[in-house]
Structures are given as C-alpha cells and as structure tokens.
Amino acid sequence: MSVTLKDVEHIAKLSRLEFSENEKEKLVHNMNDILKHIEKLNELDTTNVEPLSHVIELQNVMREDETKQSLPVEEALKNAPSKEESFFKVPKVIG
Amino acid sequence: MSSTLETCEQKVHHHLSIIQKRKNLNAFLHTFEEEALQQARSIDKKIQEGKAGSLSGMVIAIKDVIAMKGKLLTCGSKILQNFESLYDATVIEKLRNADAIFIGKTNMDEFAMGSSNENSAYGSVKNPIDEARVPGGSSGGSAVAVAADMAATSLGTDTGGSIRQPAGLCGVAGLKPTYGRVSRYGLVAYASSFDQIGPFAKNCKDIARVLQVIAGHDEKDSTSAKIPVPNYLSAMNRNVKGLKIGLPKEYFNDALNSEVKNAIEKSIETLKQNGAEIIWVSLPHSDYTIATYYILATAEASSNLARYDGARYGYRSPNVKTLSEMYTKSRSERFGAEVKRRIMLGTYVLSSGYYDAYYKKAQKVRRLIQKDFFDAFEKVDCILTPSSPTTAFKLGEKVEDPMQMYLSDIYTVSANLAGIPGLVIPVGKDSNNLPIGLQLLGKQFDEATLLRIGDFLESV
C-alpha cells in the first residue's frame, strides 16, 4: 500500500495538522518509504497469532473508593493559555 | 571523577564548572545551580550526622521529559516551552528521598522521538568525544551529561533504544529496565506500552545504586509490576562461571561494522575464558522489529500527543477564531517535523480500513518477536549483542532520510517490543577513538544478571 497527496491531506485533517504544499510532497515521499519497509510484515502468516498489547502480565488494579486530595483549581489552571474564573477559556464552540 | 572532591558541595561545583565550560555540547536545557548547591550543603550535613540516604549526594541529571515540581518540562518541544510541572514524578520523589542531588534537566529529541538528538527544538546535542558527531538519541543530553562528567549519573527514557543507543555512542553505561520495573508516573508519554525510565552512569555499580532506588511498584502507575526488587549490588559477584550467554546469529550479520564486531568478539572471548558458556541462538523475527516498532509506537504516539491542543496547557496560537482552528494551528506551529511525521504515520495505521492490515498485524508480530526471546531464554541466561551497527555518525548525516535514521535502532527496539531489560556498557573504541557499546538483554525482571555480567566486564 502507498499514500497519495490526497491521503496525506485526509490524514492531516484527522491529525489536526496542516502542511504547506512542499511539506505535503515530502510527507508523501517519507511515508511511502516507511510503508514500503513496513510491507515486510506481510511475509509472515499470523492467522492464529494472538495480538500482543501488554508485554507483562497485568492485573486489573482496584482500590477502595476513598476521597483523596486532588490538585487545587488554581494550580490546575496554572499552565492554561487562557482562563476565566475557575475555567479554561477557549474560542466559542457554538455559533 | 577525582577523589579529591570530598564534599557534595565540591562535587556540585565541579560538575557545574564542566557544564559551563562545555556549554557548546548543548546537553542541558535547564540547570539548578543555587538549588543544587543548597541541596549539597544540607546533604553534607546529613552525611556528617550519619543520616544521609542511600545515594548520599550523588549528582544526577534528569531528561526533560520527567516531571519535577515547579520546574519547566519542555520535552524538547516548543509546544511546551513554558510548561511548569505541578508535581514530582515518582522516580524524582524516590531519588530526592535517597538524597540524590538534581543538577539540571537534559536536552533530548522532541517528545523522545529520534536517534540522534537532532530533533530537539532547542538545538542538537553534540558528542563530547567528537563534536562533529551525534551523541545518539533520544536521551542524548543525559548520555552526554555523564560522558562529559557534567553529572555522576542521569535518568533517560527508552522507548526503542533511547537510553542504550546513546550510551553506546557516548561510551557510558545505560540500562533500560524491564517494562513495569520502574514507575512511569510523571513521565510524559510517547508510546505507553514501550516507554521505560532508566539510568546512565560511568559504571554498572552506579546503575545498580540508582535502579535500587527507582525500581518497584507504584500505586500511581497501574502498569508498574508488583514484583519484589532484589538487591542489585549484592548480585555483582565478579563471577560469570557457568552463565549461559546467547549470541543471536541474526545480529552478527553483514550490516555490522567490522571494528564493532571485533570489539564485541573480544568481550565474548573474555567471558568464555572466565567460564561462561557461549551458545548461538536464533531470534527468527529480527528482520521485522523496526517495521513492527514504527507501526505500534507511532500509533500510540498519535493518540498520546492528541492532548496538545492548546486548550489547557502548552502553546496556543494567537488570533484563532474557532476551536478547530485553535487545535490545528497550535499543533502545526509548534510541533517539529519528526513529531508531525510520526503523528501522521500513527494516525494512518489506525485509520478506518487500515487498522487490521497495520496495527493489528503489528501486534501479532510483536507476539512472535516476544516468543523468540522467551524461547531463547529457555536455553540461555542472557543474550549478548552490539548496541548499534556502527559507532557515532556525523551530525546531519541521516536527517533527510528518516528510514535510515530508524535503522540505527536495529539492535535495541526488540527489547522494548518484548518488554525485557537491556544494559549497554562501553567495551572499546574504533580507529576514530569513538566508543563501541555492548548490549546484554535479559529475562523479564532479571536486571541483576545483566548488571552482574556488565560489572564483570568492566572489572577485567
């Protein structure tokens, strides 16, 4: 499989990224290089292989439902680019 | 380091003066002069009173991807240029309690994505042995800090080789612990099923001392394992007799530089002469590790880096009118080229219609790669390989060819795919005086055997 300029534009939209025409062309080239290498995996028959998502045996972690102190609001807002009262402020969402 | 430095305060002065003198290496993003000296004085007092912790004044540098309360945390990115951590990572808390001294935060490839440290938004880091060459990446700053004696030890992170590859290229020891051995709480995520924090040091003893402190279960990281932590120092008995050491035939092929090969073979001979049994093993899926890694790691990265949207922290593009514009412009104006490339690739392999062909396929191959190691460990106690196919390459040499850059991790990514520990130690130099690294890969949670062999090789 390989990607076209149109694919790159679509993926950019999904990734919330934008690129110049020049950058897009470079991306088509770079991504196809990498995808070509990735094609290698098709040499392997993995029909009966279970996908691996955790490399060590993990167990579900439970704890008592106790109230613990969390970050104070002022602290949590410390790195906010824009804030008002106890809220993060962003551009208007609904017109 | 010289033994004439008796107090912690003197040690801190010593390291600070080197940081100053070799500023051009660009190893540090922030230094904590006053605070480190203050910490040193208070630990000197504790030492006098016989109350100092187990690291008693060890000077340590921290990769700028690990949170330290009240300090900047940039991850080598412009998107987090002014971000200040609100809490300490668990490893920081533990090191602080053991009386380590924090000297500063080190430069790195943006969001730990890179193998040469040329992807930092704050400039490349240079190899202290030859400044025209790369230190390796992504923990290049942390490797250089130790190699150039700007700190006694440092912490890095390893997702596909980011501790071991730079350790090898800079001539210091570096350990990637087993996945789950060290808490990731307070580590900024790149690829969560791969990321692991680990130490750099001048020798395996110091690696063991730091690991002893940072290892163990943490209730704040549900992927940290509830497995007892052994005494690493006492496992170093300077004896390798009867140990079975495997050599994967796939790693000793034509891609391997001959000078690197010679140095590794010399170490193998030493081990053999001292009673270790050397056995050839096979890791049949070695050819598929880079492909598998770049599918899974970029997929995880595309999801982890979705949080940088300009809403709650980090950079927000000025003059945006809509929410969607805020997301797109903030990200596009501040992420670097490699980060964007990996987000794009990760988004692609997870996108509708390609998920099964790429992501799921790679998860299956990851199982096969892990099984290769588990099978090999039925026959041997550990596996020995070079850390990289070549010694340090030149700055700029691979920047334009991402695929070539990715291939420089060919011997290291497998440990992250399998979740096993890997230790790199320096074992010689090539004709350009550049360090050569040897890698030991072990069974899950068996860092002790690796450190035992590493310490032995250092001693002969």
Side-chain angles (χ1 to χ4, degrees):
Chain A
M1 276 178 267
S2 60
V3 292
T4 61
L5 196 65
K6 225 178 130 192
D7 294 326
V8 163
E9 284 169 350
H10 174 64
I11 306 159
K13 212 172 148 193
L14 294 176
S15 307
R16 294 280 189 269
L17 290 171
E18 59 188 8
F19 297 98
S20 69
E21 290 308 313
N22 211 344
E23 287 172 325
K24 281 186 218 166
E25 270 172 38
K26 219 169 144 186
L27 267 168
V28 173
H29 175 74
N30 285 160
M31 286 178 73
N32 281 331
D33 248 14
I34 299 163
L35 289 172
K36 202 174 129 203
H37 179 81
I38 284 173
E39 293 292 303
K40 252 186 113 54
L41 298 191
N42 293 330
E43 297 166 7
L44 296 171
D45 179 6
T46 52
T47 325
N48 296 315
V49 181
E50 189 64 24
L52 180 68
S53 50
H54 293 290
V55 287
I56 54 170
E57 276 181 43
L58 285 178
Q59 277 163 359
N60 212 354
V61 181
M62 303 290 196
R63 65 165 176 85
E64 292 304 312
D65 188 17
E66 290 161 344
T67 314
K68 285 188 185 169
Q69 204 181 343
S70 54
L71 215 53
V73 173
E74 319 78 79
E75 277 282 290
L77 288 169
K78 207 170 177 178
N79 286 299
S82 174
K83 58 191 163 189
E84 198 169 306
E85 294 171 31
S86 59
F87 302 102
F88 294 106
K89 196 173 168 187
V90 296
K92 203 155 125 188
V93 182
I94 306 160
Chain B
M1 207 177 55
S2 78
S3 53
T4 55
L5 302 168
E6 279 165 11
T7 67
C8 296
E9 194 179 348
Q10 284 171 323
K11 282 196 268 181
V12 172
H13 276 301
H14 165 78
H15 292 305
L16 285 173
S17 75
I18 300 178
I19 292 173
Q20 190 55 36
K21 217 173 349 182
R22 305 204 69 183
K23 231 182 164 123
N24 64 317
L25 297 177
N26 204 19
F28 281 81
L29 292 175
H30 337 286
T31 46
F32 312 139
E33 287 90 349
E34 274 316 304
E35 221 177 306
L37 286 168
Q38 230 170 45
Q39 228 188 327
R41 284 189 284 266
S42 105
I43 294 168
D44 276 332
K45 218 171 127 199
K46 276 194 189 176
I47 292 172
Q48 272 180 357
E49 293 163 356
K51 289 182 193 158
S54 68
L55 298 181
S56 70
M58 177 190 275
V59 177
I60 192 163
I62 306 294
K63 186 178 183 182
D64 202 20
V65 70
I66 297 170
M68 291 182 71
K69 191 175 175 165
K71 299 278 186 271
L72 290 174
L73 176 59
T74 68
C75 300
S77 180
K78 290 278 184 200
I79 209 162
L80 287 176
Q81 193 163 13
N82 303 309
F83 182 85
E84 188 186 309
S85 304
L86 304 178
Y87 57 86
D88 272 337
T90 297
V91 290
I92 298 297
E93 205 180 290
K94 286 179 158 184
L95 288 169
R96 205 189 291 283
N97 291 338
D99 287 328
I101 299 170
F102 303 105
I103 198 154
K105 299 192 82 180
T106 56
N107 202 348
M108 55 181 282
D109 282 304
E110 185 175 7
F111 287 105
M113 299 180 188
S115 310
S116 69
N117 234 293
E118 291 164 293
N119 296 335
S120 168
Y122 304 97
S124 306
V125 179
K126 295 180 176 68
N127 192 309
I129 297 126
D130 177 349
E131 295 182 13
R133 291 177 190 268
V134 304
S138 67
S139 314
S142 287
V144 171
V146 172
D149 202 23
M150 295 163 160
T153 59
S154 61
L155 286 189
T157 61
D158 192 313
T159 304
S162 285
I163 291 173
R164 291 160 291 149
Q165 186 251 19
L169 301 193
C170 291
V172 296
L175 173 77
K176 180 203 93 76
T178 309
Y179 185 82
R181 179 83 289 182
V182 176
S183 168
R184 291 184 295 117
Y185 179 75
L187 162 64
V188 178
Y190 154 26
S192 310
S193 81
F194 297 84
D195 298 340
Q196 192 61 195
I197 298 172
F200 287 93
K202 292 192 185 73
N203 55 60
C204 291
K205 279 222 156 61
D206 279 348
I207 296 269
R209 290 172 70 205
V210 175
L211 181 66
Q212 198 73 53
V213 170
I214 64 174
H217 175 70
D218 175 17
E219 63 172 22
K220 291 174 182 155
D221 174 7
S222 62
T223 62
S224 69
K226 280 188 178 160
I227 291 177
V229 179
N231 188 317
Y232 295 112
L233 277 179
S234 69
M236 296 171 146
N237 59 2
R238 296 275 160 95
N239 185 349
V240 292
K241 211 169 182 166
L243 275 177
K244 291 186 175 130
I245 299 172
L247 306 179
K249 61 176 202 253
E250 293 82 1
Y251 285 49
F252 290 85
N253 59 18
D254 296 341
L256 183 58
N257 167 288
S258 63
E259 287 189 88
V260 174
K261 196 173 166 201
N262 290 340
I264 301 294
E265 279 171 352
K266 231 172 112 188
S267 299
I268 295 169
E269 199 47 47
T270 305
L271 290 166
K272 214 179 193 168
Q273 279 166 6
N274 284 278
E277 197 182 333
I278 307 295
I279 300 167
W280 283 98
V281 294
S282 175
L283 301 168
H285 297 93
S286 296
D287 260 1
Y288 304 96
T289 54
I290 295 283
T292 306
Y293 174 76
Y294 277 95
I295 294 173
L296 297 176
T298 58
E300 293 183 26
S302 72
S303 165
N304 273 328
L305 272 66
R307 71 191 62 175
Y308 305 103
D309 55 9
R312 293 146 298 150
Y313 47 78
Y315 172 80
R316 180 185 294 184
S317 174
N319 312 318
V320 291
K321 290 196 181 65
T322 68
L323 193 66
S324 139
E325 228 178 33
M326 179 188 83
Y327 297 150
T328 306
K329 293 215 180 297
S330 303
R331 290 162 65 78
S332 303
E333 288 169 17
R334 284 298 183 271
F335 280 146
E338 181 61 22
V339 170
K340 286 177 184 168
R341 193 150 47 221
R342 294 200 195 186
I343 292 174
M344 289 288 285
L345 191 65
T347 305
Y348 177 66
V349 300
L350 288 175
S351 66
S352 161
Y354 299 103
Y355 179 88
D356 280 356
Y358 289 117
Y359 187 72
K360 206 167 167 194
K361 178 85 185 180
Q363 280 191 311
K364 288 178 165 200
V365 180
R366 188 178 193 180
R367 167 92 54 198
L368 297 174
I369 292 166
Q370 188 184 51
K371 194 175 171 295
D372 284 354
F373 279 99
F374 288 177
D375 289 347
F377 288 134
E378 294 282 316
K379 295 178 212 121
V380 295
D381 299 305
C382 85
I383 288 172
L384 186 156
T385 81
S387 57
S388 304
T390 66
T391 50
F393 47 93
K394 290 218 163 81
L395 284 153
E397 192 179 316
K398 298 185 183 187
V399 180
E400 288 303 316
D401 191 346
M403 202 55 235
Q404 277 312 307
M405 187 70 91
Y406 297 171
L407 287 170
S408 70
D409 292 332
I410 195 148
Y411 298 141
T412 50
V413 287
S414 54
N416 305 78
L417 287 160
I420 59 173
L423 171 72
V424 164
I425 57 161
V427 289
K429 291 194 168 161
D430 71 3
S431 47
N432 290 320
N433 201 34
L434 297 168
I436 294 168
L438 175 147
Q439 175 178 240
L440 296 161
L441 300 172
K443 296 176 185 172
Q444 286 191 338
F445 301 101
D446 188 22
E447 287 81 4
T449 300
L450 307 185
L451 290 167
R452 177 180 156 197
I453 302 170
D455 174 62
F456 173 81
L457 283 173
E458 282 169 2
S459 75
V460 292

